[in-house]
Amino acid sequence: MNQDYIKPDNWSIIEEGFDLEQVKSSESLFSIGNGAMGQRANFEEYYSGKTFQGSYIAGIYYPDKTKVGWWKNGYPEYFAKVLNAPNWIGINIEINGENLDLATCKAVKNFRRELNMKEGIYNRSFEATLQNGTEISVNVRRFLSIDLDEVGVINYEITPLKADAKITFKPYVDAGVHNEDANWEEKFWEPLDVKNSANEAFVTARTFKTHFTATTFMQNSILLNGQNQNISPSNVEASNEKVQFTYEVKVAKDQTASIQKLGGYTVSMNHENTQVAAQNVIAKALSLGYDQLLNNQINAWAKIWEMSDITIDGDVKAQQGIRFNIFHLNQTYLGKDSRLNIGPKGFTGEKYGGSTYWDTEAYCIPFYMATKDQQVARNLLAYRYNQLDKAIENAEKLGFKNGAALYPMVTMNGEECHNEWEITFEEIHRNGAIAFAIFNYYRFTGDYSYIPEKGLEVLIGIARFWHQRATFSTYRNQYVILGVTGPNEYENNVNNNFYTNYLAKWCIDYAIEQINKVEKEYSADFDRITSKVKLEATEIQHWRKVADHMYFPYSETHDVYLQQDGFLDKELVKVHDLDKSQRPINQKWSWDRILRSPYIKQADTLQGFYFFEDHFSKEQLEKHFDFYEPFTVHESSLSPCVHSIQASTLGRMEQAYTFYLRTSRLDLDDYNKEVEEGLHITSMAGTWMSIVEGFGGMRVKNDTLHFEPRIPKDWNDYSFKINFRNQILKVSVHQKETKFSLEGEKAISVFVNGKEILVEPNSLVTV
Amino acid sequence: MNQDYIKPDNWSIIEEGFDLEQVKSSESLFSIGNGAMGQRANFEEYYSGKTFQGSYIAGIYYPDKTKVGWWKNGYPEYFAKVLNAPNWIGINIEINGENLDLATCKAVKNFRRELNMKEGIYNRSFEATLQNGTEISVNVRRFLSIDLDEVGVINYEITPLKADAKITFKPYVDAGVHNEDANWEEKFWEPLDVKNSANEAFVTARTFKTHFTATTFMQNSILLNGQNQNISPSNVEASNEKVQFTYEVKVAKDQTASIQKLGGYTVSMNHENTQVAAQNVIAKALSLGYDQLLNNQINAWAKIWEMSDITIDGDVKAQQGIRFNIFHLNQTYLGKDSRLNIGPKGFTGEKYGGSTYWDTEAYCIPFYMATKDQQVARNLLAYRYNQLDKAIENAEKLGFKNGAALYPMVTMNGEECHNEWEITFEEIHRNGAIAFAIFNYYRFTGDYSYIPEKGLEVLIGIARFWHQRATFSTYRNQYVILGVTGPNEYENNVNNNFYTNYLAKWCIDYAIEQINKVEKEYSADFDRITSKVKLEATEIQHWRKVADHMYFPYSETHDVYLQQDGFLDKELVKVHDLDKSQRPINQKWSWDRILRSPYIKQADTLQGFYFFEDHFSKEQLEKHFDFYEPFTVHESSLSPCVHSIQASTLGRMEQAYTFYLRTSRLDLDDYNKEVEEGLHITSMAGTWMSIVEGFGGMRVKNDTLHFEPRIPKDWNDYSFKINFRNQILKVSVHQKETKFSLEGEKAISVFVNGKEILVEPNSLVTV
């Protein structure tokens, strides 16, 4: 935890002062992205200190050869890794012949970073005294254009402070990059071509194996006191993978020299000839010019915020936290491209490989459904539909048949990217979340068309999987599900994880319901699908047997469902009775000790209560919350949000608020001491849920929005907007009242604490 | 399975015909060793075909940096690997200027290998037609001297068949070797020094990190028709890690040129100056001369066989099988050095890393106790005593304290060499086998002195471990042991594995018994030990609570102890109802499928019935055997022997015989299609047990030998010898009678089928 490192501010992330030990953490926190690409906040100029270089292009991955200690049948031979892409931001700087390197300067003063989330712009400034005594002031501004999403812009200004100086700018593009997490220290990029003319340069490289081609480009302008000098490089160095230009400028004391560098990527996913595309996009950006690009950026972000902002009055840290979360979600995924998804580290690091976990379905879809056009959520669902064949193949590798589908634990292209047997083969509840998202999408949007069109095939594949994965126990005369890992990854290979069994039963029930509905209402689709997947009525009867006779572990003594068989055999010492020196247990304890402890990494049984809240009474929720939360260590970023929502539901606002802060400021305050590896993007959607579903108590029941608004005691008010079926409802919760207003054309009914109210377009309703 | 590949023979392992695809398998099967070193049967001459090069020095290992996919707390950073040592057998051959390479010869005829187990000598002969048309006949003899255990001898004879020929011998020593299983493709040997003079050469190299120094040496003589030519090399090539001599001989048709090469290792474990030691050992070997070395070898093996041979009349394959097993056990470990142990692959391959598993205590000690001086078994026990501190450290790493000891799953030097959490951290029953071996040693030898001297400290460390590892379940009001892997590694992270729980209870009970006995009878030792390990009476009371209230899973329906909690939830389809195409499941099924299946890799509950046979009735054994064996796939080499013994005990001789063949010819017939990786050395001791304890029914009860002799129906007779308390009892079992005779001075009573008989020295008793 590092609570005072980031300065509180409503709209910006601010760091003040230069600390060599914080550089990698700040590189994560100040990351920028535009949905199509993103990058860590690495310095443009050479830096010899500790750094984690990262620039990423959405959808571009590399299948790295699997590395394990002992091979298990079924492991993928190769798996997709988030790929560190060629560097286009680099600008080496020489001042009077000496390299500017913040790690070796005599002094660095007034170092400041500001990530202006309102405008989507990252600024860095400092004053440095070099070893040669020269003193300069530096201002750097960088942004990745939302509009022109292949382009990033850097404006790098230098002012000599005490005397005239010779300033050399050496901007470059470089495909000679590597991944820190490469299993075999291999290069992932094969350089194909290098080209330059005037102030432009292009490095075209292709990923090995996957053969994605990317042209990494730059265009440079040198300015003096804001006036373009229209000069060309005095020197060009080119290798087979890198081009570097040299520009020399003599600058008088207190005058400012700057370089404006346009850069970015054009990739073969989008263009036949990536080099031509790069030339075109440079031309387009130049025709707009720096000022217009900047204005467009501010406007684009204003539009995003217009819909997705959550305001909090009276608590700057909470405000900063939620905006940081919403900002990064939008930097990572804007929903324009159904080939993309939301990686757990977004564009901020390599960890976890692959991009798509069940996080997308369980945590991210609600945010995107409510703050974007419904097509965005539909694209996220379609992503899984498009990978159904691979999920069926994946299941076949594990011995399933007849079209049973097991979605991978993590993937880029539908193939499994994970290789620990207890996760890869056993954390199968992910399949349930994917079905749940289909249900959730329809519940929220009312758009049924997705199901006959695509969703039903996914539901059938998943139902087939659960049917085959269940085992009939003659001993219990019920179906059991053996050898699984639940959401709580601090248990491995357990039998009858309540959450998994419950989801499995629900998936089958829901699939059958939808089959019946599609048969009745979309008979052409029904015929097309059943003939494609060869589904017969008898097969459905077999499924039903499993769903109808599923076993759920339950304790009469405690009147709770048990997380899994044998849970009560554990030594049930609560977390608050555990010595603090033992925490976090995932850093302090050996794995076996964690496994036999009662400690829960993230909501497991309670995740089931979150998904299926309406299947249980509030008393049941309370009982289960009181039984499980005291054993929960929340060592997953996905844990506090669900608990915050449930604490809110139970009216425990203090606890809900504590969980809220933990989820919203997880990275800003570096709770888990690992922010330097990247940010926890997917849990950020959970933060949004803790306000909207937790504090706001928003639910959709029978095609209608319901709210049970609550507010933390120190807040004056908070507000959020919901795109509900193409109308925008704004909800503003105050200590004593809640206000609703509607941007739309048709009045809607909402329920507030169970009472129906009508919200007319463009008029405020106060409850 | 490859049943007709090795020719049946009572005393030899014979291969006839050259098959490129069999070379790696034969390299394993024809391996030779002398307890101090050993090697795969690699060709001396260059070979471009598929080969797995291996030469190993007992006790020399390398700590390779651990490789895992996802790191778990508690994994060892480095672990000891069996190290491929420098090559001293190499002799490149040129015939009329062409390299002899069996993979590229025009023709290879009459290729034959014979491993003469009686004499400990490996022969290889063939006729080859080279690409240049030259035809030669080759005879190679190789052995590793038992007496002079730093020395190996090669006699390599070449006879030109159709015309005179120029033959070039290029013997070399080479430290530029690598391990096939190196995690990071690093070199493990650092060359230090290279020296040669006249016909001798020395390469001295040191292992990285562990700093074992070894001088690899050779001395060569060139003979023509058996006459030493006393010639020196015409050329010497030396690098920093290799020396190669060139000898050229003109040989007339049908005349024979040969090279006699002495080679081997002198190591820093045994010598201060390994190079001087190498010079000395060469001098010693030369003073004996080739013929005497050969004679000594034959005599040394005759002595070994004198005591450890098992004869079988009427079944050549069975006879060959048991001798193959006994031969390799003696090649691997002769009990001279308490720093050494019995690796699962001996000197025949790299697999499994490290050298010491629980195999030693559970399977090997009975063989060595009965066929060697009792000091040998005592050395094996002392090996663990000497590593007790490391076992305590190992337990501390996993969070145990107060001197609790957890022995590693596999080790070279006491440190853990395994890194799969479900094994490393959870297959803790190994600790029980180590305690059981102490009990077993005393039961068999009557030598109690080991316990006060060393054993008790080990027992206390182990009892402390079990006490801390058990969890009190308030739910059951009993102690449970959560999260373990039993001997059946096809279950991971289960709760209350019967075998583990039973052993844990027994270990505590046995430790307390020995503490009490030592207190009474060896009070000085008692005081020394209790003050050293700080043992108080109150601590023992805590242990006792665990032992007295241990929970054992049990099914009333089946009246059997359950292998673990939840076993009955599985789909209990027996192995014979499983489609053959699904076998072996460890090659056909994904790991999760194996885990949730009922299939058992090797005796688990039944291993407990094997150790503690006298705790259970024969009816209980039968019930458990009938319940578990049908689910057992015997995919561990350690499985068939225990089942063979139990089938014998239950009078099911046909089944016992089938299991016997499977254990004794596991490698010869390559049941598991993996013999090319090396032999299954430790299970070979199980083969011995299946005859002596299985067919012979030998047990020790109340300081007396008991037998229940049985014999497979096609055998005429079989015989074995037992060193029982320094007297040698010979047992010869025929279809209708059993004969006993005694080499010793004192008559002993033995029980045969419950009836006491007296065996006088040097007189035959027939029953």
Side-chain angles (χ1 to χ4, degrees), chain A residues 305-565:
Chain A
W305 285 115
E306 170 63 23
M307 183 57 220
S308 59
D309 192 22
I310 290 182
T311 67
I312 296 172
D313 188 30
D315 188 339
V316 178
K317 284 195 155 195
Q319 175 68 77
Q320 187 180 37
I322 186 64
R323 284 197 173 128
F324 183 71
N325 287 258
I326 295 168
F327 179 67
H328 274 292
L329 285 165
N330 277 291
Q331 292 208 117
T332 305
Y333 185 76
L334 287 163
K336 294 179 189 170
D337 187 339
S338 70
R339 296 169 300 181
L340 306 182
N341 212 293
I342 308 139
K345 295 241 162 280
F347 301 119
T348 72
E350 299 169 0
K351 211 182 162 187
Y352 299 119
S355 82
T356 313
Y357 283 67
W358 67 290
D359 302 26
T360 294
E361 282 79 10
Y363 294 88
C364 298
I365 280 184
F367 168 78
Y368 287 101
M369 279 198 303
T371 68
K372 307 267 176 222
D373 187 89
Q374 75 183 38
Q375 185 61 37
V376 170
R378 199 177 159 116
N379 274 351
L380 286 170
L381 299 187
Y383 178 95
R384 297 292 193 179
Y385 174 76
N386 294 334
Q387 297 183 349
L388 176 59
D389 288 349
K390 290 266 171 80
I392 291 171
E393 264 176 49
N394 186 40
E396 280 169 355
K397 273 187 210 158
L398 303 187
F400 297 89
K401 49 202 176 192
N402 185 35
L406 175 61
Y407 280 91
M409 187 64 199
V410 51
T411 192
M412 272 284 192
N413 61 349
E415 283 167 15
E416 179 60 80
C417 296
H418 203 293
N419 56 341
E420 269 186 311
W421 63 265
E422 62 274 20
I423 309 283
T424 311
F425 302 153
E426 296 205 338
E427 202 172 331
I428 53 178
H429 66 80
R430 61 197 185 236
N431 242 13
I434 289 162
F436 182 81
I438 296 172
F439 158 80
N440 201 15
Y441 171 78
Y442 169 55
R443 177 171 63 177
F444 189 85
T445 65
D447 169 24
Y448 195 75
S449 71
Y450 180 74
I451 292 179
E453 221 171 273
K454 297 181 170 168
L456 191 61
E457 282 179 58
V458 171
L459 293 174
I460 289 168
I462 288 174
R464 283 174 160 165
F465 172 80
W466 290 120
H467 164 243
Q468 292 172 36
R469 187 57 168 74
T471 301
F472 183 71
S473 163
T474 47
Y475 168 69
R476 293 189 197 276
N477 202 24
Q478 274 178 302
Y479 285 88
V480 294
I481 300 185
L482 304 178
V484 305
T485 295
N488 170 20
E489 290 171 331
Y490 289 174
E491 300 280 354
N492 290 160
N493 194 41
V494 300
N495 293 339
N496 296 308
N497 170 258
F498 168 77
Y499 173 73
T500 305
N501 287 23
Y502 199 87
L503 254 188
K505 173 192 165 45
W506 176 86
C507 284
I508 294 177
D509 287 340
Y510 185 68
I512 296 174
E513 241 176 66
Q514 301 324 305
I515 290 167
N516 293 340
K517 180 162 171 161
V518 172
E519 183 174 18
K520 242 186 260 166
E521 300 173 18
Y522 301 80
S523 66
D525 287 310
F526 179 80
D527 293 344
R528 174 181 54 79
I529 293 166
T530 50
S531 99
K532 178 177 172 192
V533 306
K534 300 194 180 57
L535 183 71
E536 307 273 351
T538 49
E539 186 185 344
I540 297 175
Q541 284 161 23
H542 291 302
W543 300 356
R544 189 175 297 288
K545 274 212 308 219
V546 171
D548 288 352
H549 300 95
M550 183 63 79
Y551 160 74
F552 302 108
Y554 172 76
S555 160
E556 296 212 357
T557 316
H558 300 278
D559 190 22
V560 295
Y561 289 108
L562 289 176
Q563 187 177 277
Q564 74 258 359
D565 282 348

Side-chain angles (χ1 to χ4, degrees), chain A residues 68-339:
Chain A
V68 293
W70 297 73
W71 192 265
K72 299 280 204 287
N73 283 334
Y75 279 159
E77 292 263 354
Y78 291 90
F79 64 80
K81 264 198 177 152
V82 165
L83 196 52
N84 185 20
N87 181 331
W88 66 259
I89 66 158
I91 307 173
N92 290 327
I93 307 285
E94 284 167 28
I95 310 289
N96 293 331
E98 181 184 326
N99 243 328
L100 171 61
D101 173 2
L102 284 182
T104 59
C105 280
K106 257 192 197 163
V108 178
K109 280 193 301 189
N110 297 325
F111 183 90
R112 186 175 194 275
R113 302 197 203 222
E114 176 171 355
L115 180 55
N116 181 329
M117 300 186 287
K118 188 170 185 178
E119 303 182 342
I121 292 165
Y122 164 53
N123 295 289
R124 178 170 62 108
S125 55
F126 57 88
E127 288 158 34
T129 309
L130 278 74
Q131 291 294 335
N132 63 17
T134 319
E135 293 181 38
I136 54 168
S137 151
V138 172
N139 269 288
V140 193
R141 164 168 292 190
R142 189 157 97 205
F143 61 91
L144 301 185
S145 171
I146 296 282
D147 284 351
L148 225 55
D149 67 9
E150 295 168 322
V151 174
V153 181
I154 299 168
N155 186 54
Y156 197 112
E157 299 179 345
I158 305 177
T159 308
L161 294 176
K162 296 286 160 75
D164 302 355
K166 191 180 88 178
I167 295 174
T168 311
F169 293 105
K170 292 184 163 181
Y172 61 88
V173 280
D174 181 9
V177 294
H178 69 279
N179 263 50
E180 297 225 337
D181 70 352
N183 282 340
W184 309 97
E185 287 165 36
E186 291 170 326
K187 286 237 169 188
F188 295 163
W189 290 96
E190 174 189 20
L192 295 181
D193 185 42
V194 153
K195 205 180 131 180
N196 65 284
S197 71
N199 291 306
E200 298 176 0
F202 307 86
V203 172
T204 302
R206 186 169 63 181
T207 56
F208 287 101
K209 296 179 190 164
T210 34
H211 291 180
F212 290 107
T213 300
T215 294
T216 307
F217 60 83
M218 66 172 175
Q219 189 282 338
N220 305 283
S221 309
I222 304 297
L223 293 83
L224 202 58
N225 296 324
Q227 289 301 310
N228 194 329
Q229 303 296 296
N230 294 312
I231 57 171
S232 297
S234 61
N235 189 30
V236 176
E237 294 157 83
S239 72
N240 71 330
E241 58 184 10
K242 183 176 176 180
V243 185
Q244 177 170 281
F245 291 163
T246 301
Y247 297 97
E248 290 178 358
V249 205
K250 294 214 159 74
V251 189
K253 169 171 178 286
D254 294 333
Q255 304 277 297
T256 298
S258 60
I259 178 168
Q260 281 178 4
K261 183 179 185 185
L262 294 171
Y265 309 106
T266 47
V267 296
S268 56
M269 282 172 76
N270 302 321
H271 301 284
E272 287 224 342
N273 186 323
T274 55
Q275 206 177 87
V276 168
Q279 285 164 330
N280 293 341
V281 78
I282 290 175
K284 202 162 171 187
L286 285 177
S287 77
L288 290 168
Y290 176 78
D291 292 337
Q292 190 61 45
L293 283 165
L294 189 69
N295 269 335
N296 289 354
Q297 179 75 350
I298 295 169
N299 293 336
W301 273 102
K303 232 184 258 172
I304 292 170
W305 285 115
E306 170 63 23
M307 183 57 220
S308 59
D309 192 22
I310 290 182
T311 67
I312 296 172
D313 188 30
D315 188 339
V316 178
K317 284 195 155 195
Q319 175 68 77
Q320 187 180 37
I322 186 64
R323 284 197 173 128
F324 183 71
N325 287 258
I326 295 168
F327 179 67
H328 274 292
L329 285 165
N330 277 291
Q331 292 208 117
T332 305
Y333 185 76
L334 287 163
K336 294 179 189 170
D337 187 339
S338 70
R339 296 169 300 181

Side-chain angles (χ1 to χ4, degrees), chain A residues 72-73 420 473 492-493 586, chain B residues 72-73 420 492-493 586:
Chain A
K72 299 280 204 287
N73 283 334
E420 269 186 311
S473 163
N492 290 160
N493 194 41
N586 70 5
Chain B
K72 300 279 205 286
N73 283 335
E420 269 186 310
N492 291 160
N493 194 41
N586 70 5

Side-chain angles (χ1 to χ4, degrees), chain B residues 463-568:
Chain B
R464 282 174 161 167
F465 172 80
W466 289 120
H467 164 244
Q468 292 172 36
R469 187 58 169 74
T471 301
F472 183 71
S473 163
T474 46
Y475 168 69
R476 295 190 196 275
N477 201 25
Q478 275 178 304
Y479 284 89
V480 294
I481 300 185
L482 304 178
V484 305
T485 295
N488 170 20
E489 290 170 331
Y490 290 175
E491 299 280 356
N492 291 160
N493 194 41
V494 300
N495 293 338
N496 296 307
N497 170 259
F498 168 76
Y499 173 73
T500 305
N501 286 23
Y502 198 87
L503 255 187
K505 173 193 165 46
W506 176 86
C507 284
I508 294 177
D509 286 341
Y510 185 67
I512 295 175
E513 243 175 64
Q514 301 325 305
I515 290 167
N516 293 339
K517 180 163 170 159
V518 172
E519 181 173 18
K520 244 187 257 163
E521 299 172 19
Y522 301 79
S523 65
D525 287 311
F526 179 81
D527 293 344
R528 174 180 55 80
I529 295 165
T530 49
S531 99
K532 179 175 171 192
V533 307
K534 299 195 181 59
L535 183 72
E536 308 272 353
T538 49
E539 186 185 345
I540 297 176
Q541 283 162 22
H542 291 301
W543 299 356
R544 191 177 293 288
K545 273 212 309 220
V546 171
D548 288 352
H549 299 94
M550 183 63 77
Y551 159 75
F552 303 109
Y554 171 77
S555 160
E556 296 213 356
T557 316
H558 301 278
D559 189 21
V560 294
Y561 288 109
L562 290 176
Q563 185 177 278
Q564 74 259 357
D565 282 347
F567 187 80
L568 291 182

